[in-house]
Amino acid sequence: MSPDAPTTPRARARAAFRADLLAAARARIAAEGAAQLSLRALARDLGVASSAVYRYVESRDALLTLLIVEAYDEVADACERALAHAAARSATPGQTWLAVGRALRSWAVEHRHSYELIYGTPVPGYAAPRDTIAHATRVWAALATPLVDAHARGELGPSPADGRSDGLVAPLAIELARSLPGAGGPATAQAGSSEQVAALVVRSCTLFEALLGAVAAELFGHLTNVAADPARAFDITLASVAAGVGLRVELEG
Amino acid sequence: MSPDAPTTPRARARAAFRADLLAAARARIAAEGAAQLSLRALARDLGVASSAVYRYVESRDALLTLLIVEAYDEVADACERALAHAAARSATPGQTWLAVGRALRSWAVEHRHSYELIYGTPVPGYAAPRDTIAHATRVWAALATPLVDAHARGELGPSPADGRSDGLVAPLAIELARSLPGAGGPATAQAGSSEQVAALVVRSCTLFEALLGAVAAELFGHLTNVAADPARAFDITLASVAAGVGLRVELEG
DNA sequence: TCGGAAGCGTGAGCGGTGCTCTCGAATGAG
DNA sequence: CTCATTCGAGAGCACCGCTCACGCTTCCGA
């Protein structure tokens, strides 16, 4: 687990308390949301003076950063599990996209406040440290995999993005996309010109945005009194936006 | 303007102070965001004791509600202006959708914190009063207009939503959609069976969610280091999701 | 082995928040 | 002109993030 197991009693106690602190924070966020998270309340939960908390965490924002990274990893794990499961079933790219999207939605519904933490309104004076972006990228990579896979198979249909993607994507992002491991094997996406990669990145961003929008709309209540069956409506939305970027999704039923 | 102009000096002063209070709140929200809004700070801005503010506004949440309604109306106005302008140019439904989407994005970029207020993470213990939903509906209606228009013209292409929309939309929402004024004339959407209306509502929700997702992703920094030209990327996203629901968008260039 | 250094928890304290209440002054209706 | 209503001020309560000096405990190195 940990890179180095603490040996001295003091270090052991420190690690244990820190773990308790994080657990308490997770619990409070799950119960009340990140905005309500108070270090004083956490201190009370742990039966300790409020100032003692600052021995273990630099500030409230630092604690939130830790939990943000955890949340990114959790949702990325969920998406990658869905990806692996779909691959094991030899699912089509369309089915895989549906599975990944559903996984993200399920996680969001189940961990509503964690979802808000990472994809909701940014905390007021808070700027995401560099640490977080690597974890955030994992999610995007998982979402993009079905698209890249379909492209590799030559199954990708036309899209309004065709021929309009040059210069749209930052070079750094293209570099990053190239370095991603493909779904069907090692580095499927490496093949292709910069323009092809850019076109895929643009398409994947559209998918990413639409997916987050659909989840956010449902979670934040913009669909209450409209959608009678949110889960099915979500599937249709997934299929529709996929169709818009040339990815065919076969909806059963 | 006001339904009844205040005659007595006291009522006049009261209305004036209340207006000043709202103006100050708007300014602070634009500058620092809704989460930072503090009634004490507002009181300081106006040179008054903090308790005095409570003579004019029930609570912080009540003040936020007022500003939320205002924000909905602002963005709805912007969208409807874009709609009217497009109609005056005899724009195609696709061009109109692009114009409305751009209008919403522009407003969001320009009034970032107001956008967060209405479409971002809901305020912790805050539940939107009934008053707000009517105003929120205006925005959705504007966004749906190009779609309904295309349907009325018989220009709507196929979509994964086809034949899967029955039972997905709450009856109340169908009723509401039926009562909306159409774009090209009075109540275009009234024609059609419940199933046809439901299919349009499902499509419009997909558009709505994708649009909000695209704006949120850009505003909240999920595309930094990815999109080199956010405005153009946004257009392509709009066109892509529109294609997914059968609405053809002609992108120039 | 033992002394000093480092780590730790406590409690007071600063400035901030939302909100309530009382009190005296200003106001306006009858 | 009188008196009820309205208003602003200020104190106060409970909460927040965060800092700091203090004394106790633990550990490391000589």
Side-chain angles (χ1 to χ4, degrees):
Chain A
M1 286 282 177
S2 301
D4 48 345
T7 47
T8 120
R10 184 161 239 169
R12 180 181 302 271
R14 180 174 179 82
F17 185 87
R18 202 182 144 94
D20 288 353
L21 182 64
L22 289 180
R26 269 187 291 267
R28 282 205 102 95
I29 281 193
E32 316 160 12
Q36 312 280 38
L37 185 65
S38 134
L39 292 190
R40 290 183 114 111
L42 247 43
R44 281 194 298 272
D45 288 351
L46 298 172
V48 95
S50 67
S51 54
V53 172
Y54 289 87
R55 299 277 185 200
Y56 298 89
V57 107
E58 200 175 340
S59 68
R60 184 177 179 275
D61 279 3
L63 176 59
L64 281 183
T65 299
L66 287 176
L67 297 168
I68 284 174
V69 168
E70 277 191 9
Y72 272 126
D73 279 339
E74 268 188 48
V75 66
D77 284 345
C79 289
E80 288 172 5
R81 270 197 304 274
L83 224 49
H85 190 244
R89 290 180 309 157
S90 311
T92 65
Q95 290 166 339
T96 306
W97 159 246
L98 197 62
V100 177
R102 281 172 170 171
L104 191 140
R105 173 177 176 270
S106 295
W107 182 86
V109 169
E110 210 165 328
H111 304 86
R112 194 206 148 99
H113 291 117
S114 293
Y115 179 89
E116 292 175 357
L117 191 56
I118 57 183
Y119 292 121
T121 311
V123 180
Y126 178 81
R130 297 279 164 245
D131 325 352
T132 62
I133 68 172
H135 299 79
T137 304
R138 281 185 60 201
V139 179
W140 173 75
L143 295 179
T145 296
L147 194 76
V148 173
D149 214 26
H151 173 71
R153 297 192 193 188
E155 294 178 5
L156 217 50
S159 154
D162 287 339
R164 294 174 211 276
S165 304
D166 47 327
L168 267 188
V169 180
L172 199 142
I174 293 195
E175 206 68 29
L176 195 146
R178 271 225 166 78
S179 69
L180 290 180
T188 319
Q190 286 186 3
S193 65
S194 281
E195 222 177 286
Q196 277 181 310
V197 175
L200 278 177
V201 171
V202 170
R203 279 177 165 88
S204 73
C205 283
T206 296
L207 286 183
F208 179 73
E209 297 165 15
L211 174 56
L212 291 189
V215 172
E218 181 179 341
L219 232 52
F220 297 167
H222 295 301
L223 295 183
T224 42
N225 306 328
V226 175
D229 187 343
R232 269 184 66 212
F234 181 78
D235 280 358
I236 293 182
T237 291
L238 283 191
S240 296
V241 298
V245 298
L247 179 62
R248 219 176 70 84
V249 174
E250 315 82 7
L251 285 176
E252 69 271 11
Chain B
M1 287 279 179
S2 302
D4 49 346
T7 47
T8 118
R10 186 160 236 169
R12 178 182 302 273
R14 181 174 179 81
F17 185 87
R18 202 182 144 93
D20 288 352
L21 182 63
L22 288 181
R26 268 187 291 266
R28 281 205 102 95
I29 281 193
E32 317 160 12
Q36 312 280 41
L37 184 66
S38 136
L39 292 189
R40 290 184 114 110
L42 248 42
R44 281 194 297 272
D45 288 351
L46 298 173
V48 96
S50 67
S51 55
V53 172
Y54 289 86
R55 299 275 184 199
Y56 298 90
V57 106
E58 200 175 340
S59 68
R60 184 178 179 274
D61 278 4
L63 176 58
L64 281 183
T65 299
L66 288 177
L67 297 168
I68 285 174
V69 168
E70 278 192 9
Y72 273 126
D73 278 341
E74 268 188 48
V75 66
D77 285 345
C79 289
E80 287 172 4
R81 269 196 304 274
L83 223 50
H85 190 242
R89 290 181 308 157
S90 311
T92 65
Q95 290 166 337
T96 306
W97 159 246
L98 197 62
V100 177
R102 281 172 169 172
L104 191 141
R105 174 176 174 270
S106 295
W107 182 86
V109 169
E110 209 165 330
H111 304 85
R112 189 204 153 103
H113 292 116
S114 292
Y115 179 89
E116 293 175 357
L117 191 56
I118 58 182
Y119 292 121
T121 311
V123 180
Y126 179 81
R130 295 279 165 246
D131 323 352
T132 62
I133 67 172
H135 299 78
T137 303
R138 278 185 61 200
V139 178
W140 172 75
L143 295 179
T145 296
L147 193 76
V148 173
D149 214 26
H151 173 71
R153 297 193 194 189
E155 295 177 5
L156 217 49
S159 155
D162 286 340
R164 294 175 210 276
S165 303
D166 46 326
L168 268 188
V169 180
L172 199 142
I174 293 196
E175 206 68 28
L176 196 146
R178 271 225 167 78
S179 70
L180 289 180
T188 319
Q190 286 188 4
S193 65
S194 281
E195 223 177 284
Q196 276 181 311
V197 175
L200 277 178
V201 170
V202 170
R203 279 177 166 88
S204 73
C205 283
T206 296
L207 286 182
F208 179 73
E209 296 165 15
L211 173 56
L212 291 190
V215 172
E218 181 179 340
L219 231 53
F220 297 167
H222 295 300
L223 295 183
T224 42
N225 305 329
V226 176
D229 187 343
R232 268 184 65 212
F234 181 79
D235 280 358
I236 293 183
T237 291
L238 283 190
S240 296
V241 298
V245 299
L247 179 62
R248 219 176 71 82
V249 174
E250 317 82 7
L251 285 177
E252 69 271 10

